[in-house]
Amino acid sequence: MSDKKIGAVAKSAVIKNPVLFEAIGIAPVVAMATSLKTAIMLTAITLIQMTVIELFACKFLKMLKSRFRVLVYAVLGVLINIPLFSVFSYFTPNEAANVSIFLPIIAVNSLIALHCERFAVRHSIKETFVDSLASGMGYGLIVLLTGTVREIFGSGTIYGIDLGFKLKFSGLLLPFGGFLALGYISAVFKRIIKRLYPGEKPEEAFNLSEISQSHFDNIKNLFNEDFNPFDEEAEAETETLNPFADIAPVPEKRKKSKKALPNLKHGKSKRAEQKESKYEIIIENGENFSAPAEERRDLPSETGENIISDSKKYESEFDDLLSELEVHKKKKEKDGDVE
Amino acid sequence: MSIITDLITAALYAMLFQNFIFTGGYGASEAVRMSAKPKQLYPMTILITVFSTVVSLICTLLERINYVHSLGTVGHSLIFIAVLSVFYLFVLFFVVSVLHAKKRTVRRVGIAAFNTLVLAVPFINYRAAFSPVEAIGSGLGSGLAFALAVSLINLGLRRLDKCPDIPEAFKGTPAIFIYVAVLSLAFTGISGRGLTL
């Protein structure tokens, strides 16, 4: 590999570090990298697993659908991990026994699936190999650093050798220590990147632009006055149509609501509906204009919202009463003629 | 009555006291990344809950077979991944053929199935020798734990995103990791694990 390529791999491993700036593959780092020995184990397993799976995906899985590829990555991961784990069990039996639960967990490392899907299935073998090395090395670097820091401060040892520290922060060996170490390591890396590569912005890898697009807003709005889960406009209409109810002024917000349109048709005669389609009330700068539907396009509108106002509602209601009265009158007259 | 009590206790324990994301770090990547884009939290939580509950139950039932129970970690790993793979194919078939889901949703099924949280649950059940009812509770609880973790991280991220006092080097993922570390410490305290191993 040329010097230029090595430089590119090193730069990619640092600036585009998957753990520090993309928050990928955190679980094994936090749970497993508690000492240098386990960190070496995790680095070696991840690097080998990543290279093999990425190359396999590049060579054979391009034709397979994405939904089936993720299954292959997981199964392949376990199959690769088993012999590797046996090798480590032979050399470091105590550490291997401690991390045995993480064996399948490393197999479903999100780092591998993400890199295979993002890169391996879209590029050539050569490019995939370089990517797997770069991301694997970047991941390994963080694992080793985290493991070393946690072992020094948490156990007071390095590679099992006692450093003679009197004060040990054993809490660092718990997952919270892993998150804390990752936080400080990523801050140091950011500082270094700013100095060495001033043009690069590693923080952009973790996009926070959609942070507020949450389902929780709906729940939160339940306690907000503006939230209208049961169509309050409809209820307001029922209230105003009730002759025994007090007529209260309808708030401006409700007046402008488009949702009010279908509810107004409730309980109207055909004549009123025909008239309503012919005429439309437009609110323009707080004033109401009544105009035929054909002409309404010519009227100036700043907001672009054409809605039916309350006066229209009363007008159509009055028409209803009139038509009913007429029908009743005709019926009476007819009855009188017969008599 | 005792079945319901066992179920609820196991679920609450997995969700609140032994939140696998904070006290174990399982599914931490998915939780942190989802907290930045929480729009799809509900479908993702449902999928993770389904996978963790069903896989957890099947694996616990398989443990009752003497041959399976006598297997070591490697053997259990193979069985757990095999159960997860078969169930994934079943869910995939259901989502694609019956529900006619969009491509994006189908892709999400894979993320929900093959993550450290779903696979950690049967291992924890196996080590704790949970009964089938407790295994269901544990699976349900881990799904809810995921939702709780994502919402807690999301709430923190919103404040961190607007906070002007964070030093430049700590903006972005460093602040997120430290915030998650504080949450993790809090949950470790609730679980009563203490700081000595």
Side-chain angles (χ1 to χ4, degrees):
Chain A
M1 210 185 285
S2 67
D3 286 351
K4 205 178 172 183
K5 269 190 179 173
I6 292 169
V9 168
K11 193 182 166 186
S12 175
V14 176
I15 295 168
K16 292 177 185 174
N17 193 286
V19 189
L20 299 185
F21 305 118
E22 288 188 277
I24 304 169
I26 307 171
V29 184
V30 164
M32 200 174 153
T34 53
S35 68
L36 189 57
K37 278 182 187 175
T38 51
I40 291 169
M41 206 187 294
L42 179 59
T43 305
I45 291 174
T46 310
L47 198 64
I48 295 167
Q49 190 186 334
M50 185 135 187
T51 313
V52 173
I53 296 176
E54 268 205 60
L55 290 175
F56 185 83
C58 179
K59 189 77 182 163
F60 303 108
L61 302 180
K62 278 180 180 172
M63 299 300 282
L64 203 66
K65 281 187 175 178
S66 166
R67 63 187 79 151
F68 298 114
R69 281 200 298 258
V70 286
L71 173 69
V72 178
Y73 303 147
V75 175
L76 264 179
V78 172
L79 294 177
I80 293 166
N81 280 0
I82 288 169
L84 287 173
F85 186 72
S86 306
V87 172
F88 281 112
S89 297
Y90 181 76
F91 289 109
T92 53
N94 291 335
E95 279 74 20
N98 286 338
V99 297
S100 59
I101 189 177
F102 302 112
L103 179 71
I105 287 164
I106 307 164
V108 290
N109 193 340
S110 53
L111 175 78
I112 293 160
L114 215 77
H115 267 269
C116 285
E117 285 301 300
R118 270 188 194 172
F119 206 91
V121 291
R122 295 172 190 181
H123 291 86
S124 65
I125 284 272
K126 216 175 175 181
E127 287 169 322
T128 304
F129 182 68
V130 174
D131 175 74
S132 67
L133 271 187
S135 48
M137 276 167 58
Y139 189 78
L141 178 69
I142 300 309
V143 170
L144 289 172
L145 268 175
T146 313
T148 310
V149 168
R150 287 171 84 181
E151 192 184 350
I152 291 171
F153 293 105
S155 310
T157 57
I158 181 90
Y159 204 75
I161 302 160
D162 195 2
L163 295 172
F165 289 165
K166 284 185 179 173
L167 194 65
K168 292 170 192 171
F169 303 98
S170 53
L172 277 176
L173 302 176
L174 293 171
F176 106 85
F179 285 118
L180 201 65
L182 278 179
Y184 281 99
I185 290 169
S186 55
V188 170
F189 263 66
K190 257 184 93 171
R191 193 86 179 148
I192 292 168
I193 290 164
K194 285 250 163 159
R195 282 194 179 176
L196 294 177
Y197 311 100
E200 302 288 344
K201 284 183 178 174
E203 69 268 22
E204 282 178 357
F206 199 78
N207 187 7
L208 291 173
S209 62
E210 292 174 28
I211 199 165
S212 300
Q213 291 179 7
S214 168
H215 279 298
F216 287 99
D217 281 344
N218 300 336
I219 298 169
K220 212 167 74 183
N221 284 342
L222 281 170
F223 306 101
N224 194 324
E225 284 178 0
D226 295 330
F227 188 59
N228 184 15
F230 304 110
D231 201 357
E232 282 171 6
E233 285 88 352
E235 284 175 14
E237 288 305 322
T238 326
E239 275 170 26
T240 47
L241 286 169
N242 183 359
F244 300 104
D246 294 331
I247 298 170
V250 184
E252 193 65 29
K253 212 167 189 177
R254 285 185 193 169
K255 273 185 190 175
K256 288 191 175 182
S257 173
K258 279 184 175 179
K259 282 184 179 177
L261 276 165
N263 296 324
L264 284 171
K265 289 183 179 177
H266 176 72
K268 281 179 191 168
S269 68
K270 277 185 180 176
R271 190 182 153 189
E273 279 182 15
Q274 279 168 2
K275 204 175 178 183
E276 195 179 285
S277 63
K278 201 176 174 185
Y279 284 87
E280 205 165 326
I281 305 296
I282 299 161
I283 292 185
E284 184 66 27
N285 295 331
E287 289 180 57
N288 296 350
F289 297 98
S290 178
E294 295 82 20
E295 286 173 31
R296 69 173 186 263
R297 290 181 206 95
D298 302 324
L299 283 167
S301 173
E302 270 181 23
T303 55
E305 280 188 303
N306 297 338
I307 62 162
I308 297 168
S309 71
D310 290 332
S311 59
K312 174 71 186 165
K313 184 181 74 195
Y314 297 132
E315 194 182 69
S316 58
E317 201 181 323
F318 187 63
D319 284 338
D320 279 355
L321 288 168
L322 271 178
S323 59
E324 274 176 29
L325 203 70
E326 274 174 20
V327 170
H328 191 71
K329 207 175 166 182
K330 278 178 184 174
K331 203 179 172 186
K332 276 268 179 190
E333 281 172 6
K334 212 176 178 181
D335 289 344
D337 289 343
V338 172
E339 277 173 18
Chain B
M1 192 65 192
S2 85
I3 290 173
I4 296 165
T5 314
D6 284 352
L7 188 91
I8 293 170
T9 311
L12 283 175
Y13 186 74
M15 182 189 167
L16 296 172
F17 299 103
Q18 202 191 20
N19 190 301
F20 297 141
I21 292 116
F22 292 126
T23 61
Y26 309 114
S29 303
E30 286 76 15
V32 171
R33 288 174 71 81
M34 176 127 286
S35 63
K37 293 179 180 180
K39 209 177 171 184
Q40 297 300 324
L41 174 63
Y42 292 161
M44 193 68 173
T45 302
I46 292 167
L47 283 171
I48 285 183
T49 310
V50 167
F51 276 110
S52 58
T53 310
V54 175
V55 171
S56 170
L57 176 66
I58 295 170
C59 292
T60 310
L61 290 173
L62 284 174
E63 282 299 326
R64 300 197 158 195
I65 303 166
N66 284 335
Y67 174 73
V68 176
H69 190 70
S70 63
L71 287 171
T73 314
V74 174
H76 275 98
S77 302
L78 284 171
I79 284 176
F80 293 161
I81 202 87
V83 170
L84 181 60
S85 303
V86 172
F87 186 61
Y88 169 71
L89 287 173
F90 176 76
V91 173
L92 202 65
F93 174 76
F94 181 76
V95 167
V96 175
S97 307
V98 181
L99 298 178
H100 303 290
K102 287 178 185 173
K103 269 187 181 178
R104 229 170 67 179
T105 313
V106 175
R107 217 178 297 141
R108 220 166 276 138
V109 178
I111 301 167
F114 297 103
N115 63 65
T116 48
L117 178 66
V118 170
L119 214 52
V121 177
F123 258 101
I124 289 162
N125 294 346
Y126 157 62
R127 289 204 161 187
F130 275 168
S131 67
V133 175
E134 286 170 327
I136 294 170
S138 173
L140 287 172
S142 60
L144 295 171
F146 179 79
L148 181 72
V150 171
S151 40
L152 282 175
I153 300 170
N154 177 258
L155 288 172
L157 290 198
R158 288 182 186 204
R159 281 164 178 77
L160 288 173
D161 197 35
K162 288 172 188 168
C163 184
D165 302 325
I166 299 171
E168 193 56 38
F170 280 88
K171 275 182 183 167
T173 43
I176 296 167
F177 284 135
I178 292 169
Y179 173 68
V180 176
V182 174
L183 284 174
S184 176
L185 179 62
F187 274 90
T188 308
I190 293 171
S191 69
R193 202 170 162 184
L195 294 182
T196 46
L197 289 172

